[in-house]
Amino acid sequence: NAGVTQTPKFRILKIGQSMTLQCTQDMNHNYMYWYRQDPGMGLKLIYYSVGAGITDKGEVPNGYNVSRSTTEDFPLRLELAAPSQTSVYFCASRGGSNYGYTFGSGTRLTVV
Amino acid sequence: ILNVEQSPQSLHVQEGDSTNFTCSFPSSNFYALHWYRWETAKSPEALFVMTLNGDEKKKGRISATLNTKEGYSYLYIKGSQPEDSATYLCALTDDYKLSFGAGTTVTVRA
């Protein structure tokens, strides 16, 4: 059972480039999330999804887009990378209300 | 976004000592509170999900209590060991999404 799988683990982007962070879960969870971790700031919610075809903005959505065409996949798209998007990105999923989140191993992104 | 505060930001504990730290949150419209353990270079790992006032949960030497009326939760580590060194995150949920506190980083000195 792989859980939540994120790719890539590391990436360096130039300003203005685009990329997609991939997230896949094999637990048949309806709820999926993207967070970014900034030093001293904890985890900030970028986007979330409560099921296939449904997405919603979190606390810091600007500069990002998501889609949820299947239950398993929840990719995060950066269209025009900016230095402010340098961060560690975590994807997570959960099953029912009384369960904790399962996190992926993270993607460390640097924009130069 | 739900406001969650954790204190202290960091603490150092001697091996074998016990410690505790606090998570504070708005007491109105409470749904559930989560605790996570986050080791360096790893991803957060769920410890507890707490929903009822007076809840007390335990996992090995780590336990947590919840007071929804006054808006706080305590996490306790009994007899700290070096492997307990981690950042402990508290998070509040409205059943759709989690809002995290900034965490308490615990360093256990041998």
Side-chain angles (χ1 to χ4, degrees):
Chain A
N1 192 344
V4 177
T5 302
Q6 285 183 241
T7 57
K9 292 192 183 303
F10 305 94
R11 183 73 184 268
I12 298 174
L13 275 183
K14 293 185 178 179
I15 294 171
Q17 285 186 319
S18 301
M19 77 163 294
T20 299
L21 281 66
Q22 302 291 346
C23 177
T24 299
Q25 53 93 8
D26 62 358
M27 298 171 285
N28 202 33
H29 286 172
N30 283 325
Y31 292 73
M32 295 188 73
Y33 306 85
W34 275 105
Y35 285 88
R36 58 178 285 173
Q37 180 215 358
D38 297 320
M41 301 292 288
L43 291 167
K44 300 293 184 186
L45 181 64
I46 305 171
Y47 270 96
Y48 69 102
S49 169
V50 299
I54 306 169
T55 62
D56 208 347
K57 295 179 181 179
E59 189 179 2
V60 290
N62 291 343
Y64 307 95
N65 276 302
V66 293
S67 60
R68 186 91 183 274
S69 56
T70 66
T71 299
E72 295 78 18
D73 300 309
F74 190 40
L76 178 73
R77 178 88 178 155
L78 284 72
E79 290 295 346
L80 292 170
S84 61
Q85 293 177 305
T86 294
S87 188
V88 182
Y89 293 83
F90 287 95
C91 179
S93 73
R94 76 168 170 98
S97 298
N98 291 329
Y99 293 89
Y101 285 21
T102 299
F103 282 84
S105 57
T107 296
R108 184 174 294 274
L109 175 68
T110 302
V111 182
V112 296
Chain B
I1 302 302
L2 305 169
N3 188 30
V4 180
E5 295 186 358
Q6 292 187 248
S7 64
Q9 184 176 356
S10 63
L11 61 90
H12 290 79
V13 189
Q14 199 66 32
E15 183 177 358
D17 288 350
S18 297
T19 189
N20 65 85
F21 38 93
T22 308
C23 173
S24 302
F25 52 87
S27 57
S28 59
N29 299 319
F30 177 85
Y31 189 87
L33 185 119
H34 292 214
W35 280 102
Y36 289 82
R37 182 171 180 272
W38 194 0
E39 291 182 72
T40 303
K42 294 187 177 180
S43 50
E45 175 188 352
L47 285 173
F48 308 115
V49 177
M50 309 180 80
T51 55
L52 298 175
N53 184 46
D55 248 357
E56 188 167 337
K57 300 229 173 179
K58 188 175 180 181
K59 187 175 184 177
R61 292 178 291 96
I62 300 176
S63 61
T65 60
L66 178 65
N67 184 325
T68 61
K69 294 185 178 180
E70 296 183 41
Y72 64 84
S73 175
Y74 292 134
L75 192 88
Y76 299 89
I77 304 175
K78 183 179 178 182
S80 303
Q81 299 297 309
E83 58 264 31
D84 295 327
S85 296
T87 295
Y88 292 84
L89 297 174
C90 167
L92 205 61
T93 181
D94 60 1
D95 194 34
Y96 292 104
K97 55 193 182 296
L98 281 179
S99 295
F100 284 88
T104 294
T105 298
V106 175
T107 303
V108 181
R109 295 180 287 212

